[in-house]
Every structure is written in structure tokens, then in C-alpha cells.
Amino acid sequence: MNENREINALFHLLDDPDLEVFDTVASKILLYGKDIIPNLENLWENTIDESIQERIELLIHRVHYQDLQAALRVWGLSETQDLMQGAILAARYQFPDLMDAQIIAEIDRIKRNIWLELNNYLTPLEQINVLNSMIYNYFGLKGEEVSYQRKNQFFINQVVESKKGNPVTNGIIYQSLCAMLDLPVYAVNIPRQFILAYFDSYIDFSTPVSPDDHRILFFIDPIQGQIYTQQDVDTYLKRVSVPSVPSYFKPQSNKRIVQFLLEELAKCFRDDKDAYKQDELMNLASILED
């Protein structure tokens, strides 16, 4: 964006010690949207004062965050609500310039290899065995339990690059591949777990979904593809002293999964200096409230 008199005047006020003046200036700069970022980056490079640089960095972050809020609203209102695209949007909180082409290409490459091994004569369990072999052996995806000290495992770009995620991000990759291959696999709401379930039919999330309308054939732990039966899950619920209720076996919409990803990511920012990031991520999650 070419600098005009107003932009130059606003930039000259960035060093004003009065916070009210800075907030007013910031609000006006934000109105320019992403087009103002190159100007801000150029200003940062030509600024010696570290305190002013910090203000510029904050403004750049606010512009990206404002843009992300708008993109997430559009995604939440779209008809398809593609799960992988939602995870990429969540990653853009930390990586605002993230391009999705490389991630999509890698997921598509895995999908093509799985597709070559599938046929109409395989049982659901045999289909999942093919998926597990390709995802965890061929692609080499590894998984670990959720740790809020390992925030990189919540960003789908870093998971695809490092091939190491947690149940949520591994589950997003797994479910996305199943969607591309027309397999009825969806996340369910088992307490303290992120577990996928193979249902007996495809689910249309455009209408309210009742657990009574569908039957779960078996469960899949996306950490490493471990298969569990209904009895295994019932035993787990008894062990953690949680009564089994129908809502635990209700398939989760893509919107809810991305909302959960943002809520979990927010827990990674617990230090006082990062408190604003926790607030921002929870605000992003609230955008996806039904």
C-alpha cells in the first residue's frame, strides 16, 4: 500500500506516550486491514526504538488476528466446513502467513496411496487396517498424549511437517482422510479423550444428530490407530467413574472439532505474558458457537 498523508500522520503518533492516543491510532490503522502490513513491516525495519518496535509488532498481530476472525466466521458459516481447512485456520493464529497448498498436497498424497489399497470387498475393520498401515507406517505419523507444554503439536502444519501430533491433530488428519475416502468415521465426545468412531452410515450434520439414529461399529484411537470395542469404552468409563450417557456417542461436527482444537490450544498459553493469547484463542473458539 502506498503511504498517504493520513498513514504517515498515524505512524508519527505511534510513539505517543499517551495510551489513549495510541489506542485511537491503532484503531484507525486496523481499518486498513492486511494491506497495511507491508507498511508496518517497513516502519519496523527503520525504527531503532525497541518500545516502538513492540508497538508495531502488536499492531501487525492485531491486523492478522482481525483477518483471522473474519476468515473463521466465513468458514463457520460455509456449507461444507472442511475439517482440514478449519485446522489450517487455527494454525494461522501462530503462523499468519501459512499457505495451505503444501499441507493439502501431503494429505492428498496419503489419500491416493490409501485409495489404491481399498476396494468394495473389504470390511470396515479391514478398511481401517489399510488406513492405519498407510498413516502410521508409510507416512510415519506418531502420536503422544496431549501436553500443553508441546504447543507445536496443536498446529496442523507443524504436525504434518514433523509427523508427530497429539490425539486432536492426529484425529483431524485421520478423519479428514476418511472423509476424502467416503468412510463414515467421526470424532465422538468420550470424556477426557479424543476418539474416533466408525459408524454404520454417513451422517448429515445439516440437521440435528441423535445417537439413536446411528450405530457405532468400533472406536479408533488416533494416537496410533488402536481399535477399541464398545465394551472397551464402557470399561474405561467405569474406571474413571463417569456414567455412560448417549451424548458421549454422538458424532461431533467439524465446527465443534475446530472449536475444541482452539480451546485446547488456548491452554498452552498460561503465563501472564501470554494471557492475551489465551483470551484471543478462546474468543476465536466462541465465534464457532452454534
Side-chain angles (χ1 to χ4, degrees), residues 182-229:
D182 296 323
L183 300 178
V185 173
Y186 309 94
V188 288
N189 193 28
I190 305 297
R192 306 176 203 170
Q193 301 290 331
F194 190 90
I195 293 287
L196 305 174
Y198 195 116
F199 284 78
D200 63 350
S201 61
Y202 300 104
I203 295 167
D204 179 9
F205 287 96
S206 63
T207 57
V209 180
S210 169
D212 297 333
D213 297 337
H214 305 276
R215 186 168 62 93
I216 292 174
L217 304 185
F218 52 84
F219 300 85
I220 309 156
D221 183 345
I223 291 181
Q224 282 296 313
Q226 178 74 35
I227 305 297
Y228 294 116
T229 65

Side-chain angles (χ1 to χ4, degrees), residues 83-100:
L83 181 57
M84 185 56 62
Q85 288 293 342
I88 289 170
L89 283 176
R92 282 190 180 141
Y93 177 77
Q94 188 83 351
F95 304 94
D97 297 319
L98 176 65
M99 304 298 290
D100 59 9

Side-chain angles (χ1 to χ4, degrees), residues 3-170:
E3 291 192 15
N4 55 35
R5 288 182 179 178
E6 183 181 18
I7 292 175
N8 281 324
L10 291 171
F11 283 180
H12 278 105
L13 289 171
L14 284 177
D15 60 355
D16 196 298
D18 189 328
L19 287 179
E20 286 190 15
V21 172
F22 173 70
D23 287 340
T24 301
V25 170
S27 297
K28 289 186 177 181
I29 288 175
L30 288 175
L31 293 175
Y32 285 95
K34 288 181 69 176
D35 291 341
I36 198 71
I37 288 178
N39 303 70
L40 288 167
E41 289 174 338
N42 182 62
L43 181 64
W44 186 93
E45 290 172 359
N46 291 284
T47 299
I48 300 174
D49 191 321
E50 290 186 4
S51 64
I52 305 305
Q53 285 184 328
E54 287 179 4
R55 284 188 168 188
I56 297 169
E57 289 167 8
L58 177 61
L59 279 171
I60 293 172
H61 172 75
R62 284 188 186 177
V63 173
H64 282 306
Y65 181 67
Q66 179 178 266
D67 187 65
L68 179 56
Q69 286 177 299
L72 204 58
R73 286 191 185 95
V74 170
W75 180 85
L77 293 171
S78 65
E79 289 185 13
T80 55
Q81 292 172 1
D82 180 87
L83 181 57
M84 185 56 62
Q85 288 293 342
I88 289 170
L89 283 176
R92 282 190 180 141
Y93 177 77
Q94 188 83 351
F95 304 94
D97 297 319
L98 176 65
M99 304 298 290
D100 59 9
Q102 188 171 350
I103 299 169
I104 299 300
E106 185 67 8
I107 298 300
D108 193 59
R109 182 175 70 86
I110 305 168
K111 186 267 292 187
R112 287 198 304 272
N113 280 277
I114 297 171
W115 180 80
L116 290 170
E117 299 294 326
L118 292 177
N119 62 64
N120 294 330
Y121 302 103
L122 296 179
T123 66
L125 193 56
E126 288 170 336
Q127 292 172 338
I128 293 305
N129 284 335
V130 169
L131 256 84
N132 286 347
S133 177
M134 284 294 175
I135 293 172
Y136 302 107
N137 297 330
Y138 170 72
F139 177 60
L141 184 65
K142 299 289 187 291
E144 300 175 330
E145 294 291 347
V146 167
S147 168
Y148 301 118
Q149 280 70 51
R150 295 191 291 266
K151 63 173 71 73
N152 59 303
Q153 292 185 3
F154 286 96
F155 298 117
I156 201 71
N157 57 315
Q158 293 201 312
V159 173
V160 170
E161 183 180 339
S162 68
K163 301 183 181 181
K164 184 178 289 186
N166 58 37
V168 185
T169 43
N170 278 16

